[in-house]
Amino acid sequence: MSLTPPSERLWWKEPIERVELLWVGLALLWALIMFVMMPYWHIYGKQNLSNEAYRTTPEQFSKKVDAMVEKYTVRKETARGYPVVAPPAGSDVYLLGRLWEWYPILELEKGKKYRLHLSSMDWQHGFSLQPENINVQVIPGYEMVITVTPNKTGEFAIVCNEYCGINHHQMLGRIYVK
Ligand code: CUA
């Protein structure tokens, strides 16, 4: 039942208005352009990273993070005593996201290749490397692996760019490249 029912009850049998057809056509065209942009941007824009993903659990993943932290911590930083971890060049490095922090702080070497593993302990988070334009979804239950070769030295911030609750805006992390 409707407050203002169409005068012609069998409205779906009416011919489509030309303007409406034009809009449907434009929307379809735009959808196709956006679709083609995905592979295009992967190849020419060097975005839409090709990465690997594996199933995991928060328990399994945090075990790997803890093992790395235990082995390669070089110092502690910030008021909360975050470990700064410097794994050997070419190795697998692990970073976890959880409400509301990135853990631990990583220290990498310029020009060396690493396999960066990302996962979440709870909610969906977004790994956004600043000031570079690198964004990866971090999803609980999945381990994303990206091969990275830092090409600049300095201090990089990790910002969470997926809304994850009341302290989302404070979910920051740090990567050093030396
Ligand atoms: Cu984590 Cu927003």
Side-chain angles (χ1 to χ4, degrees):
M1 203 177 88
S2 160
L3 288 177
T4 54
S7 54
E8 199 60 62
R9 295 296 297 178
L10 298 180
W11 52 268
W12 60 85
K13 286 195 173 163
E14 284 176 37
I16 300 174
E17 195 75 43
R18 277 187 72 160
V19 178
E20 196 175 5
L21 201 60
L22 180 70
W23 277 113
V24 170
L26 281 174
L28 179 68
L29 183 69
W30 185 242
L32 288 173
I33 290 172
M34 297 294 274
F35 181 75
V36 171
M37 277 305 282
M38 288 191 283
Y40 175 84
W41 212 236
H42 172 75
I43 298 162
Y44 298 102
K46 301 223 167 77
Q47 293 283 307
N48 295 351
L49 312 168
S50 40
N51 42 23
E52 305 160 38
Y54 302 95
R55 280 209 185 268
T56 186
T57 63
E59 293 73 33
Q60 283 171 1
F61 193 78
S62 65
K63 248 187 217 159
K64 294 187 198 173
V65 176
D66 290 343
M68 179 194 70
V69 169
E70 199 166 305
K71 232 170 156 183
Y72 301 117
T73 296
V74 287
R75 61 180 184 277
K76 301 256 169 132
E77 267 185 19
T78 77
R80 289 173 72 177
Y82 273 56
V84 179
V85 182
S91 68
D92 288 86
V93 297
Y94 299 87
L95 184 77
L96 64 81
R98 64 184 162 213
L99 302 170
W100 287 278
E101 61 179 11
W102 299 100
Y103 177 90
I105 298 173
L106 296 171
E107 190 171 81
L108 308 176
E109 281 179 59
K110 186 186 161 185
K112 299 283 163 61
K113 204 187 239 185
Y114 297 87
R115 277 166 59 81
L116 176 63
H117 299 241
L118 298 166
S119 191
S120 165
M121 296 295 103
D122 36 50
W123 258 234
Q124 182 169 355
H125 300 286
F127 172 97
S128 175
L129 191 69
Q130 304 293 328
E132 303 301 308
N133 183 17
I134 295 174
N135 296 287
V136 182
Q137 295 285 307
V138 181
I139 299 163
Y142 287 93
E143 183 169 339
M144 305 295 280
V145 188
I146 322 159
T147 306
V148 291
T149 308
N151 58 1
K152 272 181 225 162
T153 57
E155 185 181 327
F156 298 85
I158 308 164
V159 173
C160 181
N161 64 4
E162 193 68 50
Y163 183 71
C164 58
I166 193 89
N167 275 334
H168 158 71
H169 63 289
Q170 289 188 336
M171 186 166 167
L172 300 167
R174 201 178 290 171
I175 293 179
Y176 292 111
V177 178
K178 61 173 193 184

